[in-house]
Structure formats: C-alpha cells, structure tokens
Amino acid sequence: MSRKKYLFIFSALLLIFLLSTLFLFTKKHHDYQLETIVNETPSYVEAITSIITSEDSINNVLDTHIKAQQKFFYEQIQSTFHTYLIDRDELNIDCQFQRLDRNIWYISLITSMKGPSFSSPYYRIDCWTWDIKKQQVLNLENIFSPSTEFSAFQDRVFQELQKECPSCLSEENFTKILGPDFHTFQVTETGITLYFNPFLFQDDYFDIIPISIEMDTLSIKQEKQEEKKKFSNQKKVSPSRIIDPSKPVVALTFDDGPSQYTEEIIQILKENEVNATFFILGNKVERYQDILRKSVQNGNELGNHSYNHQWLSHLSTDELMTQIRKTQSVIQEKIQYTPRYLRPTYGSVTNRIRKNANLEIALWTVDTKDWRIHNVNRIVERATKKIKDGDIILMHDIFERSKDALKEIIPILKKQGFQFVTISELEEVKKIRKFENLYPKKET
Ligand code: ZN
C-alpha cells in the first residue's frame, strides 16, 4: 500500500473516532447527574442529593428551592443548644428523576428535617414536570384541555381530600390552593397524583397528603414500561450512606470489646463503607476512649453490654442496675454518647432486666460462635450462609480471627445484595417499611 492510502485510512479512522466522541459527548450532555453534598457540624448534618441537568432553568429552580429549605432548617435549629453529638439535627433532601418521554421530565425533591430542634419530623415533597422543548414547568392548566373539565377535577380532588383529612379546609380555600398553576403533581400510568404538603391547610397538620386521581384525558402520560417510583423510598439513615429500605439489610454486631483488635475492625468497616454496632463493656471504655470516639465519628453505634460482663440475669436488681448505669455514665462521660440499646450478657433476658434497664434490648439472630470456633473460614461460613434480610449477626471484637473473618464477610454479604445497618438503623428501616408498606423482594 502507498503512503497516501495509509494516510487516507488513518484520517478515516480519526474522523470516526472524533465523530463517535462527539456523539457520546452530546448524548451525555443531554443527560443528568445526581450529586450528593454532605455537610457535618457539631450541631447538625445536612445531606442533599440534587440533580444537575443540561438545562440551566431547571438547575436554577432546584437550587433556589434547596436554598429555601436550608434557610428554613437553619432558622429552626439556631435557637437550640446541643450537648451530645448523637442529638444532632438532620436535614435530608433526596431527589428523583424520571423521563415521561423524551421532552417531558419529572423531578422531585423530598425533604426531611428532624432532631432536637424539631418537635416532630418534618417532611415535604416538591416536584416539577418540565417540558424541555418549551422550556417551562407544566402546571395543571397545561396538561388539562378545557377549563370546564378542570373545575370537575377540582371537585373530585376536594372529595378525596376530605376523606383523608376531613377537618382540613373549606372549599373556598381549596380552590385557591388547587388553582390552574398548581404544579406539585406527578403524572402516573393511570392518571395523576397530587401532593399536598404539611401546613398548607392547617398549622398543625404534619403529613403530606397524596391524592391519586384516575383519568385518561391528560395531554401527557407516563409510559407504561416506566418503572413505578415510590416517593421517598430512599431515606438517609446516616450522614455518609444511603440505605434503601426496599432492599435487604443486615446488622453486624460485636460484643465484649473494645480490645486491641477494635481499632483495626473499625478501619476495615470504614474502608468498606460499612457500619456496625459495638456492645461494649463499661470497664474498658476509659482505656479505649480514643478508638471508641473514632468509631462513633465513623457512624458506628455503641450499645451497653454491662460493666464487667457479669451474668445480669443472676444479679440482684441493685447489682443489675449498677452494671447498666455505670456503663451508661462512663460512655456518656468519656465519649459524650448515649447508648440506646442493652445487650444482656449471654443473651439472657429476664422481665426484671426489661423492666429496670431503661434501654431497649437488642439480641441477635445469627451466632457466628467466633468465641468457640478458631477457624476463620468456618466463622466466615456461619456469617454468610443462609443470611436473611433483617438478620443481626453476633461477633466479638476481642479475637484476631473475628477481625480476619470480617474482611471476607463484608464483600460476600455485599455480593448477596445486603446493605449494612446499625441496630438503630435497622429499627428505622423497619418503621419506614411499615409506614410505606414496602418490603424487599424475597431472597433467592
Ligand atoms: Zn458478651
């Protein structure tokens, strides 16, 4: 072949390469990107997930909205004085994106605020349906055709709303709120869902009221094959991780520490972006206080496991109370942390313990028997075979073999689709599932 031919082939290849890069770039350019920003201070944690799109007008609306939520949050927390790290206020904003068709985008932001400055958790949902071509947010007027139809629609929504919250509002007020410019709605496969946020009608009504209306006369429609989205099905339960309650969870727990192996264990957890719960002994707290503090900062949970591992169910009420109280107070004093849970020694719970502990009781569902089994592989096997959603795995952070087993256990369970939660997070996940009637698919 001549040099000319080589040159021709080379330039052709180069052109193909450039064109495909350009194609990929433009394709990417029309896409979107979710971004999470976490900001922690001694008094609050904010975790904000937002979307950055190729449309500046959308980005600006979302940005303004998020800033307003932050302003409201800061105003609420300003007056509160905080003693413990564990009691920080939390602002979470989660984002969902959905394409109704190529030019119609649906974006929602779900905001939650809770903590010592809030008498009860505050939730709200805000959503926008965007027509990308026309560069505008669609309101009810845009998706309904004649105005007569709209007043009939208002009547239907009003009736539904009265079923949900009979004392909420008068018809007159309602017509003002649900005007043609209302845009807090989601177009669904079968019609439309409207979201009414707390305080919209009444100062003391704290719930979001979703009203779904079936209708087939809307100018836009969610495509059938589109995956159904549940609102707020992703909740942040810890500042640095997102836990999806619709997916399986498992809780790792370590008893009898801290010990010389604890520091390495919390390092392994951190490297794997996983958190666990440590049921610790009061008499070891002072010696290992720096490691415990680091553990809490990493998002791990501490629980009470008595002062010096006495058999709690064999003690007198006084002795029992001393074991629990001394442990609570040394943890509070040295770590500025208040455990919520007691794991009685030997898992032995009596009514007397339940009555007097003043703490929730946390046992386990899977025992690795790492105190008896010396073989790392067998410990790994016990912690990873037949694990079900919601299991609580018992280990001990006082053995080198447990630490070695942990390195293998985490990736195996992750591969099986498990998310790692602390005991408190596990409880929260259960609550969310109950509230939203949301359960993970059966493990196969
Ligand atoms: Zn123990």
Side-chain angles (χ1 to χ4, degrees), residues 255-256 279 281 305 309 343-346 396:
D255 286 10
D256 298 358
F279 290 95
L281 297 176
H305 194 47
H309 215 277
R343 174 170 283 171
T345 44
Y346 311 100
H396 294 82

Side-chain angles (χ1 to χ4, degrees), residues 46-48 90-94 110-114 236:
E46 32 175 17
I48 296 164
E90 272 181 51
L91 165 66
N92 287 312
I93 300 180
D94 283 332
I110 297 141
T111 305
S112 77
M113 301 181 195
K114 59 183 177 187
K236 273 207 129 62

Side-chain angles (χ1 to χ4, degrees), residues 150-404:
F150 185 67
S151 79
F153 172 77
Q154 277 181 316
D155 288 345
R156 278 172 75 187
V157 177
F158 184 67
Q159 280 166 19
E160 292 300 316
L161 197 61
Q162 283 217 306
K163 283 186 212 159
E164 292 294 321
C165 177
S167 64
C168 265
L169 72 173
S170 65
E171 200 151 353
E172 188 193 355
N173 266 340
F174 173 71
T175 328
K176 258 186 228 157
I177 292 167
L178 191 75
D181 55 350
F182 187 90
H183 68 83
T184 317
F185 61 78
Q186 181 173 19
V187 174
T188 62
E189 246 180 66
T190 53
I192 189 167
T193 301
L194 307 149
Y195 297 107
F196 296 99
N197 278 311
F199 315 120
L200 198 54
F201 308 122
Q202 262 181 201
D203 287 346
D204 56 352
Y205 198 83
F206 294 102
D207 290 331
I208 299 169
I209 312 176
I211 302 287
S212 294
I213 303 284
E214 276 185 32
M215 50 196 319
D216 45 18
T217 52
L218 296 173
S219 64
I220 53 170
K221 205 171 196 170
Q222 183 191 319
E223 282 170 24
K224 279 244 156 57
Q225 63 270 32
E226 193 77 54
E227 195 191 332
K228 269 196 181 166
K229 300 271 158 104
K230 291 187 193 72
F231 88 84
S232 72
N233 68 351
Q234 273 203 339
K235 286 218 168 109
K236 273 207 129 62
V237 277
S238 160
S240 54
R241 300 170 301 138
I242 290 180
I243 290 158
D244 183 346
S246 68
K247 299 207 172 101
V249 292
V250 67
L252 289 174
T253 64
F254 295 90
D255 286 10
D256 298 358
S259 80
Q260 54 177 314
Y261 304 112
T262 307
E263 187 167 20
E264 212 178 320
I265 285 176
I266 63 171
Q267 188 56 33
I268 295 166
L269 294 171
K270 194 184 175 187
E271 280 162 13
N272 285 280
E273 294 181 307
V274 158
N275 283 137
T277 308
F278 293 83
F279 290 95
I280 60 178
L281 297 176
N283 67 353
K284 293 184 178 178
V285 169
E286 187 164 2
R287 181 162 163 211
Y288 291 101
Q289 52 179 302
D290 293 340
I291 291 161
L292 290 173
R293 229 172 271 128
K294 193 165 140 197
S295 183
V296 169
Q297 272 165 13
N298 289 1
N300 298 309
E301 180 164 19
L302 302 182
N304 188 323
H305 194 47
S306 84
Y307 194 74
N308 54 1
H309 215 277
Q310 300 237 357
W311 201 313
L312 293 182
S313 54
H314 296 184
L315 298 180
S316 72
T317 308
D318 273 356
E319 289 167 327
L320 155 73
M321 298 295 288
T322 309
Q323 284 281 325
I324 296 169
R325 278 200 195 132
K326 258 172 96 178
T327 306
Q328 286 297 102
S329 59
V330 72
I331 298 173
Q332 247 155 20
E333 189 194 322
K334 301 290 175 201
I335 322 294
Q336 285 82 52
Y337 182 99
T338 311
R340 267 179 68 181
Y341 295 93
L342 169 72
R343 174 170 283 171
T345 44
Y346 311 100
S348 147
V349 204
T350 58
N351 277 339
R352 205 150 47 90
I353 294 176
R354 282 191 198 280
K355 237 192 194 159
N356 294 293
N358 219 2
L359 292 169
E360 292 168 66
I361 306 288
L363 296 175
W364 59 85
T365 58
V366 175
D367 187 352
T368 59
K369 298 222 189 306
D370 60 342
W371 53 274
R372 182 163 62 76
I373 297 170
H374 289 246
N375 181 302
V376 172
N377 290 337
R378 282 189 57 212
I379 298 172
V380 172
E381 207 170 285
R382 292 188 65 95
T384 53
K385 285 233 164 108
K386 293 190 233 159
I387 300 298
K388 313 179 298 301
D389 170 55
D391 266 338
I392 300 173
I393 300 172
L394 169 64
M395 296 181 75
H396 294 82
D397 55 328
I398 53 170
F399 307 117
E400 192 169 19
R401 54 181 180 272
S402 308
K403 177 205 79 190
D404 292 338

